[in-house]
């Protein structure tokens, strides 16, 4: 699978509230909730001068009161864009590893661990927001974004001590199951719950025909990097963000 196809899966699986296509760049807006859903992704060939496009993009994000954020990778078009953004004062943030796993030798989850995978519900959203400390003003936005996912999706909850101790999202798209929003209660980390939750999602994704999994993990998240390596994930490429905070309102 090509870089472009992986990035398109990510676009489909993490929906913004609105999208603007501008000369090969995909501009996404979601009231400031997550960088992925509020960033510019230069995936395709473009023809306009970079300076012209940057001015126009900054105006659009400024009109929404949002920082202007670019999601970049070694495959970004045009290639000099990262240098151009750096010279323009955009700060570097969150280098992230995109990883893949073949599902042919997937271990079985521990049957003693309680987990359930269900359709999207207000209860799952509430648990995820609690565990991830999502700002209450973003709760309605998150709900709208999740409801916009077209591909088959499953929402896992793992139970420990009678409480929901972790949440995650799997999205099946053709041969791939993408994993997103994986979180474990901070007080219960280090007990293997994350591994069991991921195995539940991966087996769920394999049932309708997925043979590979993809995910993205911030490089500074050492525990998650170790967990994914233990399961056999390996890096395919990296991406990072360039951010211009000057276009955001003070409240953002």
């Amino acid at each position: 699978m090509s870089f472009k196809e992986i990035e398109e899966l990510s676009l489909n699986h993490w929906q913004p509230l609105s999208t603007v296509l501008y000369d090969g760049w995909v501009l996404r807006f979601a009231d400031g909730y997550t960088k992925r859903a509020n960033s510019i992704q230069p995936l395709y060939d473009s023809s306009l001068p970079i300076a012209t496009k940057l001015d126009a993009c900054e105006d659009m994000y400024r009109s929404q009161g949002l920082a202007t954020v670019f999601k970049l990778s070694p495959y970004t078009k045009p290639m000099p864009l990262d240098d151009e953004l750096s010279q323009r004062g955009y700060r570097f943030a969150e280098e992230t590893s995109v990883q893949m796993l073949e599902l042919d030798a997937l271990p079985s989850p521990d049957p003693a661990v309680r987990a359930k995978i269900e359709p999207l519900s207000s209860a799952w959203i509430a648990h995820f927001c609690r565990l991830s400390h999502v700002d209450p003003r973003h709760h309605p936005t998150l709900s709208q974004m999740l409801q916009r996912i077209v591909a088959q999706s499953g929402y896992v909850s793992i139970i420990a001590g009678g409480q929901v101790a972790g949440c995650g999202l799997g999205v099946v798209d053709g041969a791939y199951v993408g994993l997103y929003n994986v979180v474990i209660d901070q007080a219960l980390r280090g007990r293997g719950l994350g591994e069991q939750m991921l195995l539940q999602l991966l087996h769920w994704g394999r049932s309708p025909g997925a043979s590979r999994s993809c995910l993205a993990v911030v490089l500074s998240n050492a525990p998650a990097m170790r967990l994914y390596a233990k399961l056999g994930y390996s890096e395919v490429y990296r991406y990072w963000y360039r951010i211009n905070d000057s276009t955001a309102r003070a409240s953002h």
Side-chain angles (χ1 to χ4, degrees), residues 193-233:
L193 295 176
E195 180 180 359
Q196 293 303 313
M197 189 168 68
L198 291 175
L199 288 174
Q200 292 280 351
L201 274 177
L202 293 173
H203 277 276
W204 168 85
R206 197 163 66 171
S207 295
S211 58
R212 292 179 175 179
S213 173
C214 57
L215 56 80
V217 54
V218 178
L219 289 179
S220 60
N221 188 345
M225 292 286 288
R226 288 194 296 269
L227 171 58
Y228 298 138
K230 180 180 179 182
L231 288 171
Y233 281 89

Side-chain angles (χ1 to χ4, degrees), residues 223-251:
M225 292 286 288
R226 288 194 296 269
L227 171 58
Y228 298 138
K230 180 180 179 182
L231 288 171
Y233 281 89
S234 58
E235 184 172 287
V236 182
Y237 63 91
R238 295 180 181 183
Y239 68 79
W240 60 93
Y241 294 99
R242 287 284 184 180
I243 303 173
N244 176 0
D245 297 296
S246 69
T247 57
R249 288 191 295 263
S251 60

Side-chain angles (χ1 to χ4, degrees), residues 45-114:
D45 291 325
S46 58
S47 57
L48 295 174
I50 292 179
T52 299
K53 294 184 71 171
L54 291 179
D55 288 343
C57 290
E58 289 173 2
D59 284 344
M60 279 188 265
Y61 280 85
R62 184 178 292 108
S63 74
Q64 300 298 309
L66 299 173
T68 307
V69 180
F70 279 82
K71 181 183 174 190
L72 304 175
S73 80
Y75 307 99
T76 292
K77 295 184 177 183
M79 288 299 291
L81 181 57
D82 187 59
D83 291 338
E84 183 79 20
L85 292 173
S86 177
Q87 293 170 15
R88 201 170 172 119
Y90 281 68
R91 60 183 175 87
F92 180 94
E94 287 187 18
E95 189 171 14
T96 299
S97 174
V98 177
Q99 302 194 356
M100 290 285 188
L101 172 68
E102 299 286 343
L103 301 182
D104 51 348
L106 193 63
S108 297
D110 184 348
V113 176
R114 289 182 57 203

Side-chain angles (χ1 to χ4, degrees), residues 82-153:
D82 187 59
D83 291 338
E84 183 79 20
L85 292 173
S86 177
Q87 293 170 15
R88 201 170 172 119
Y90 281 68
R91 60 183 175 87
F92 180 94
E94 287 187 18
E95 189 171 14
T96 299
S97 174
V98 177
Q99 302 194 356
M100 290 285 188
L101 172 68
E102 299 286 343
L103 301 182
D104 51 348
L106 193 63
S108 297
D110 184 348
V113 176
R114 289 182 57 203
K116 56 183 179 180
I117 300 179
E118 300 176 317
L120 179 64
S121 68
S122 58
W124 186 94
I125 293 173
H127 288 304
F128 174 78
C129 289
R130 169 179 59 85
L131 294 168
S132 297
H133 307 291
V134 177
D135 189 316
R137 69 187 175 91
H138 289 312
H139 292 192
T141 300
L142 170 62
S143 179
Q144 291 180 65
M145 290 167 62
L146 294 175
Q147 291 176 50
R148 291 167 185 245
I149 300 173
V150 175
Q152 182 178 354
S153 55

